[in-house]
Amino acid sequence: MGMESKYIWMNGELVEFEKATIHFLTAGLHYGVGVFEGIRSYATERGPAVFRLREHVERLVNSAKVMGFRDLPYGADELADAIKLTVSANGFDECYIRPLIYLADGGWNLTVDSGKISVGIAVWEWKHFHGAEALEKGIRANVSSFTRHHPNVMMTKAKITGNYANSVLAKTESMRLGFDEAILLDPQGYVAECTGENLFLVRAGKIYTAPTADILEGVTRDALITLARDLGYEVIEQPISRDQLYISDEVFVCGTAAECVPLCEIDFRVIGAGKMGPVTRAVQQAFQAAIRGQHPRSEEWLDYVRAPVSLPVRVAELA
Ligand SMILES: Cc1ncc(COP(=O)(O)O)c(C=O)c1O
């Protein structure tokens, strides 16, 4: 996967890609303490546009709050401007955007109250998380032998770096077993989410998805609920059991990296007709239109990166 870019934004300035390094003795690396976002910028007729930037930045700030970080060096508006600046400085039409908040030093006493809170933003071209064909052909998943976080063990509303060890355990197991993705159950045994996606099922024309108490409040999940309701579908948030997945007409998963992908097989059971169903297709098409500026919802959801940015950023490397 090519993750190269020209610049990575670090603490207020654009740093050349090769120079954007962090010391081995960074506590976040050892203890999994840091908070991040995953965002996408898409090509539109009016140039690159970041999808739901405000909501992602808000979740980043909330993740920091949940983790206990105090006094972030940048506010939400500055972070949003820095993200747009990083996208435009790197010149990608479409890219994935990865902000990370971490302690530059300190943290060795297992608190977030020592050290310096640092912020970085990287962007790279990340076309198809599940491969180019997955959007149409769908993917195969299994229910993981690993359980998703109990919400008082790890904080499920926050994208905390350490939370993702659970995703890595599950995804590694799934892929070694020959599946494409893992479905994780919550500690009560109900369907929670995938390793980096929220999950929906369709039965008798109605769409169901798990309530948010145990899972990440996905920005794509929220967008798909809105788009599905715009299309006239009833969307119901209620606990979902493993066997409800097996007897669904359609199952699809969604996330910033994965976008909207059908699940055609779960635990060796074919789901519905074993290919993308009509409801998934309708929702996926609406989503594809929305992210590229071709949907009535696009106006409220897209932030055009060419818009002027107010953050005073040193860009010595650009000269
Ligand atoms: C565990 C988990 N669930 C769900 C999602 C989907 O969230 P979003 O649509 O905001 O990317 C992600 C990805 O960010 C994730 O990591």
Side-chain angles (χ1 to χ4, degrees), residues 36-38 56 59 96 148 159 164 167 193-198 215-221 254-257:
F36 68 98
E37 262 308 311
H56 281 287
R59 190 171 64 186
Y96 182 80
R148 197 64 178 148
K159 282 183 82 77
Y164 283 78
S167 291
E193 59 192 329
C194 293
T195 58
E197 300 96 6
N198 293 118
I215 60 173
L216 190 75
E217 293 173 337
V219 174
T220 319
R221 174 187 181 279
C254 72
T256 297

Side-chain angles (χ1 to χ4, degrees), residues 139-184:
I139 58 173
R140 299 169 61 245
N142 69 325
V143 172
S144 183
S145 71
F146 295 98
T147 299
R148 197 64 178 148
H149 302 297
H150 182 289
N152 202 34
V153 174
M154 296 298 277
M155 302 293 102
T156 61
K157 294 300 152 288
K159 282 183 82 77
I160 296 170
T161 55
N163 284 7
Y164 283 78
N166 177 255
S167 291
V168 172
L169 287 167
K171 182 81 177 262
T172 303
E173 177 189 58
S174 288
M175 296 207 53
R176 287 181 182 171
L177 286 169
F179 296 98
D180 305 304
E181 186 53 85
I183 297 166
L184 289 126

Side-chain angles (χ1 to χ4, degrees), residues 208-248:
Y208 298 83
T209 194
T212 55
D214 281 353
I215 60 173
L216 190 75
E217 293 173 337
V219 174
T220 319
R221 174 187 181 279
D222 180 74
L224 295 196
I225 290 173
T226 304
L227 293 169
R229 287 182 177 149
D230 285 351
L231 286 164
Y233 292 108
E234 191 177 342
V235 183
I236 302 152
E237 296 183 59
Q238 67 174 44
I240 293 171
S241 67
R242 177 178 187 162
D243 53 1
Q244 281 177 316
L245 296 178
Y246 296 163
I247 58 175
S248 296

Side-chain angles (χ1 to χ4, degrees), residues 61-126:
V61 170
N62 282 340
S63 290
K65 182 177 188 176
V66 169
M67 190 62 238
F69 286 119
R70 291 176 179 161
D71 301 325
L72 290 187
Y74 305 97
D77 290 346
E78 290 171 304
L79 291 167
D81 280 351
I83 286 167
K84 288 199 272 187
L85 180 82
T86 312
V87 172
S88 68
N90 282 289
F92 294 130
D93 280 344
E94 301 208 341
C95 59
Y96 182 80
I97 305 163
R98 170 52 58 82
L100 173 71
I101 301 177
Y102 60 100
L103 287 177
D105 52 4
W108 298 103
N109 65 352
L110 297 180
T111 77
V112 293
D113 292 329
S114 62
K116 180 171 157 277
I117 298 176
S118 295
V119 185
I121 303 162
V123 300
W124 65 89
E125 285 186 300
W126 199 4

